[in-house]
Amino acid sequence: MAPGKEGYDVLRLIEHGQICYVSSEHVYGTTLAQYLRQNPCVEKKQLFLWMQEITRQLELIHRCRGNPSYKYVNPYSIIISKDRKIYFMDVESGTNQEMLRQMRKRKVREYFLPEEERYYQNTSIQLDIYGLGRTLQYLLAHTVPDEKLGRREEIKIQRMISKCLKWQSKKSYQNVSEIRQQIPEYKVKREKLKIRWKLLATVGILIVAVLGKYWLSQGNLEEKTAQTAKEEAKLKEEVSEETITVTADNEETEEAYMDLAMAYFLDIGDYEKSLEYLKKAKNTNPCAKELEVVVLWFSGEKMSEKDKKSYQEHLENLEKNVPEKGAYRYLQCLIRGYQMMNTEKAASHMIRLGNRFLQSDEAKEDDVAEVKEAMITAYETLGQTEKAAEFCEEVLEKETQDEKREGLYKRAVMLYEECGSIDTALEICSRGVKEMNGSTELKLLHIRLLCAEESIGRDICAQTIQSYAEQNPEILESEEFVKLQREYEIQVEGDTIWVGK
C-alpha cells in the first residue's frame, strides 16, 4: 500500500464519562507529514483546531481502560482524512505495517524520541507527551498560516513545547489535559475588530443623532438632549477604550521581541528564529545587537573577524544593559556566551554571573541546574575542584534522570579525589553504586579508589571486587578492570579474588 493513496485503519475514540472506548475504522486520507509537504499554506484557525484535536485525541487514548500510551506519537502516525479531520493511526492493524516500518526508521526516531530512548521500545505517557511536543513543533515549522501568529500566541506555544520536551523533569506536564489548556484559542484578527468597532461606532452615533433630532422635535428637550449626549459619550468611551487596547496589543514591542529571541535561544535551541527576532529589536533595544553576536557564534554562521575579536566586549556591553525585569534570562545568555570562550577569565565571569543568577527567585529549576553545571566547569577551569564538587552534589540533589545522575556521581567522585578528599569521594561513590546498581563504570571507579588507598585493607578490596563480579560478571572482562589488575596485582581464580598491592 502506498502511503497517502489509499485508506488507513484509524482509531475511533468514543467518550463515555471519564472512560474512553476505542475501536477501529477505515478512512481515506494522508499522513500529517505528507499533507504538510503538499499543503503548507493553512488557515490559522485550522492550525489551532488541529493542535487542539491532536491533543484531545491523545488525551482520550490515555483515558482508555488500563491507561495505555500510544507509543508512536509523530506526524507519520496522524492521519488527515479527505474532509480534513484528524485521526490517530491504528498501529496494531496489519494494513498499517508498512507505515509502522517507516516510523521505526532512524530519521523519524531521532527527531521524535528523546536521546535516551533510541528506539520505539518503551511506552509511557511521558514519552507520548515528548512526541506530542515534537509533533506540534513540526506542525509549526512546516506550515505557513494565512495570518501571522501573535507574539503572545507564539511565546505561549513555544513555552508549551519546551515543557513537553523536558519529559523527565518534574516541571514537565503530567498529563495531556494540562497541555490542551495551554493551546491558544483562535481569535478574529484585532485589526478587523478595530474596523468593525469603528463602523459600529459611526452607525451608533448616527442612530443616536437621528433619535436626538426626533426627540427634540417631540418635546421634552432638556431630558431628551441629556439622554442623547449620555448615550453618545458612552459609545465614544467604549470605542476609545477598544482602540487603545487594540493599539497596545498590536505593538511588537522590544520587550516581546527579546523575550521571543531568548526563548528560541535558551529553551528551543532554534538560533535562526532567535536571530530573526533580535534583528527586529536591534533598532530599539541595546541588548539585541550584543546578544546577536552570541547567538551567531552558537549557530555556526560565519562571523566577521571584528566580531570575533570583540566577542568579550559584546558580552560586557550586554551585561551593562541588562534590565532589572527578567534579568535572570539575560544572565543565562551571558553565561552561555562566556562558555564559548573556554578561558580562565571567562570562567571567573561565569562564576560571578552564576552567583548573581542564583539569587533570582524567578529562575526555573531546570535553568538553575544548567547554570550550576556551567559553574562546575568554571570552577574546574580555575582549579577550584572542591567548590566544583560541591556544586556537583547540589545539582545531583535535584536531578531525576538516571543517565545524568550517573554522570554527576562520577564527576563528583573524581573531583573530590582530585582535591584530596578521598573519604568523601569513597562515600559518594559507594552511595552512587547503591543507587545505580547497574552502573559498571561506578563500580570500577569504586574498585580503583579502594585499591589506590593504602590505608584500606586488601581483603576489603578483594571482597568488593568479588561482590561486584557476582552482580555484573562482565565487569571482569572490561578493559578498565584489566588495567586495574596489572596496576594492583589483582588475581582472579574461579570464585576467588586476591589483591596484591
Side-chain angles (χ1 to χ4, degrees):
M1 179 183 71
K5 292 185 179 179
E6 294 187 25
Y8 296 89
D9 286 341
V10 298
L11 299 180
R12 184 167 177 262
L13 301 158
I14 305 162
E15 283 186 89
H16 185 75
Q18 292 301 309
I19 301 295
C20 179
Y21 298 93
V22 62
S23 63
S24 188
E25 65 177 302
H26 199 73
V27 300
Y28 289 90
T30 182
T31 64
L32 177 61
Q34 188 166 340
Y35 182 93
L36 294 179
R37 281 196 294 270
Q38 296 170 353
N39 308 278
C41 297
V42 298
E43 295 174 359
K44 180 179 172 182
K45 183 178 181 180
Q46 183 68 66
L47 178 65
F48 282 9
L49 286 173
W50 279 346
M51 292 173 72
Q52 277 286 353
E53 187 59 16
I54 290 168
T55 313
R56 187 187 75 85
Q57 290 211 27
L58 186 60
E59 181 187 355
L60 291 179
I61 291 170
H62 290 169
R63 278 168 49 191
C64 290
R65 291 189 181 277
N67 297 319
S69 53
Y70 183 72
K71 192 175 183 179
Y72 297 94
V73 182
N74 60 61
Y76 300 87
S77 67
I78 296 167
I79 303 300
I80 297 184
S81 65
K82 287 185 176 181
D83 55 356
R84 297 208 294 182
K85 287 185 178 178
I86 291 284
Y87 296 92
F88 271 82
M89 187 186 292
D90 182 356
V91 293
E92 302 293 329
S93 170
T95 61
N96 291 328
Q97 292 311 297
E98 177 60 32
M99 283 306 303
L100 203 57
R101 280 192 287 273
Q102 286 194 34
M103 284 187 274
R104 287 171 177 160
K105 287 182 178 178
R106 184 177 177 180
K107 66 177 183 179
V108 177
R109 289 188 282 103
E110 284 189 348
Y111 189 80
F112 296 100
L113 282 175
E115 288 183 12
E116 302 82 5
E117 298 286 333
R118 294 290 184 185
Y119 302 93
Y120 279 112
Q121 293 176 324
N122 300 318
T123 62
S124 71
I125 287 175
Q126 291 304 319
L127 280 171
D128 278 0
I129 288 173
Y130 181 92
L132 176 63
R134 282 294 193 188
T135 300
L136 296 180
Q137 195 175 47
Y138 182 95
L139 183 61
L140 289 174
H142 290 79
T143 53
V144 183
D146 62 340
E147 298 176 36
K148 189 178 178 183
L149 269 64
R151 59 185 174 83
R152 287 189 177 90
E153 292 169 336
E154 193 163 355
I155 290 172
K156 193 173 185 180
I157 291 171
Q158 292 300 346
R159 283 178 179 168
M160 176 186 72
I161 290 172
S162 176
K163 197 171 176 180
C164 286
L165 301 186
K166 294 174 181 176
W167 71 291
Q168 288 188 323
S169 168
K170 292 177 182 177
K171 297 288 185 180
S172 183
Y173 295 107
Q174 300 306 305
N175 56 67
V176 180
S177 62
E178 294 177 31
I179 303 170
R180 281 189 68 195
Q181 295 168 13
Q182 299 301 313
I183 296 173
E185 291 182 15
Y186 175 75
K187 293 179 181 178
V188 180
K189 207 170 182 181
R190 286 280 189 172
E191 287 83 355
K192 293 178 181 177
L193 282 175
K194 185 175 176 181
I195 292 166
R196 289 175 188 172
W197 267 101
K198 284 183 176 178
L199 287 171
L200 286 171
T202 304
V203 172
I205 291 169
L206 285 171
I207 291 170
V208 171
V210 170
L211 286 173
K213 286 180 182 179
Y214 172 76
W215 287 333
L216 285 169
S217 66
Q218 296 299 311
N220 299 323
L221 296 180
E222 290 182 6
E223 183 181 346
K224 305 296 184 181
T225 303
Q227 180 69 18
T228 301
K230 188 177 179 181
E231 293 293 335
E232 186 174 346
K234 184 181 178 183
L235 189 56
K236 282 182 178 178
E237 186 181 344
E238 288 174 357
V239 174
S240 177
E241 286 179 0
E242 178 65 19
T243 304
I244 290 166
T245 305
V246 170
T247 303
D249 283 346
N250 278 296
E251 285 182 354
E252 299 282 0
T253 63
E254 61 181 52
E255 185 181 341
Y257 283 139
M258 290 302 293
D259 282 347
L260 278 167
M262 288 190 290
Y264 277 113
F265 174 51
L266 296 171
D267 302 329
I268 309 296
D270 189 334
Y271 306 126
E272 188 178 335
K273 274 281 189 184
S274 180
L275 289 168
E276 180 185 321
Y277 284 107
L278 286 170
K279 283 173 185 174
K280 291 180 180 180
K282 271 170 74 173
N283 293 331
T284 52
N285 193 306
C287 292
K289 181 183 176 183
E290 318 303 341
L291 184 56
E292 185 180 39
V293 177
V294 177
V295 179
L296 273 170
W297 196 307
F298 272 83
S299 70
E301 284 192 32
K302 189 175 180 181
M303 291 173 63
S304 68
E305 288 303 315
K306 184 181 177 182
D307 280 338
K308 285 182 181 177
K309 288 177 181 176
S310 60
Y311 182 73
Q312 183 167 330
E313 191 179 320
H314 284 289
L315 290 171
E316 288 169 357
N317 289 337
L318 176 58
E319 185 177 356
K320 286 175 188 175
N321 291 291
V322 168
E324 288 186 19
K325 184 181 177 183
Y328 76 101
R329 295 288 275 174
Y330 288 87
L331 295 173
Q332 197 176 352
C333 290
L334 281 162
I335 291 164
R336 283 203 192 175
Y338 277 113
Q339 278 182 291
M340 299 295 281
M341 294 180 67
N342 197 27
T343 64
E344 288 191 3
K345 189 172 183 180
S348 297
H349 284 301
M350 285 164 62
I351 291 167
R352 176 179 57 78
L353 293 165
N355 285 323
R356 185 177 163 190
F357 175 93
L358 295 176
Q359 291 172 8
S360 171
D361 296 328
E362 299 176 82
K364 294 179 288 185
E365 196 171 288
D366 288 341
D367 296 332
V368 169
E370 181 195 316
V371 168
K372 284 185 175 180
E373 285 185 49
M375 292 174 74
I376 293 168
T377 305
Y379 279 120
E380 282 184 277
T381 302
L382 295 172
Q384 299 180 35
T385 48
E386 188 169 4
K387 195 69 178 174
E390 289 170 5
F391 266 84
C392 248
E393 287 194 86
E394 286 184 28
V395 177
L396 189 57
E397 283 178 17
K398 301 287 185 180
E399 183 57 60
T400 57
Q401 192 177 327
D402 285 348
E403 190 176 344
K404 287 186 178 180
R405 286 187 67 79
E406 182 183 3
L408 287 164
Y409 269 122
K410 288 188 287 187
R411 195 172 186 184
V413 168
M414 289 188 282
L415 285 167
Y416 275 120
E417 181 189 17
E418 190 177 336
C419 67
S421 300
I422 303 300
D423 289 344
T424 308
L426 280 165
E427 187 273 322
I428 291 172
C429 196
S430 181
R431 178 156 41 100
V433 169
K434 189 175 180 180
E435 180 190 325
M436 316 198 78
N437 196 41
S439 173
T440 301
E441 289 186 43
L442 277 172
K443 288 174 180 175
L444 286 165
L445 183 55
H446 194 209
I447 291 168
R448 183 178 66 74
L449 286 170
L450 290 169
C451 292
E453 185 57 36
E454 293 179 0
S455 62
I456 295 174
R458 303 298 89 178
D459 56 332
I460 294 174
C461 297
Q463 287 170 18
T464 303
I465 296 169
Q466 193 155 356
S467 172
Y468 290 163
E470 288 170 4
Q471 296 167 17
N472 300 83
E474 68 278 4
I475 202 170
L476 301 178
E477 307 297 325
S478 67
E479 187 179 337
E480 178 64 24
F481 184 75
V482 172
K483 290 179 184 177
L484 292 172
Q485 271 189 291
R486 288 197 297 266
E487 189 172 354
Y488 298 104
E489 298 178 0
I490 301 170
Q491 298 179 44
V492 180
E493 291 183 10
D495 294 333
T496 308
I497 294 175
W498 296 273
V499 178
K501 65 176 184 180

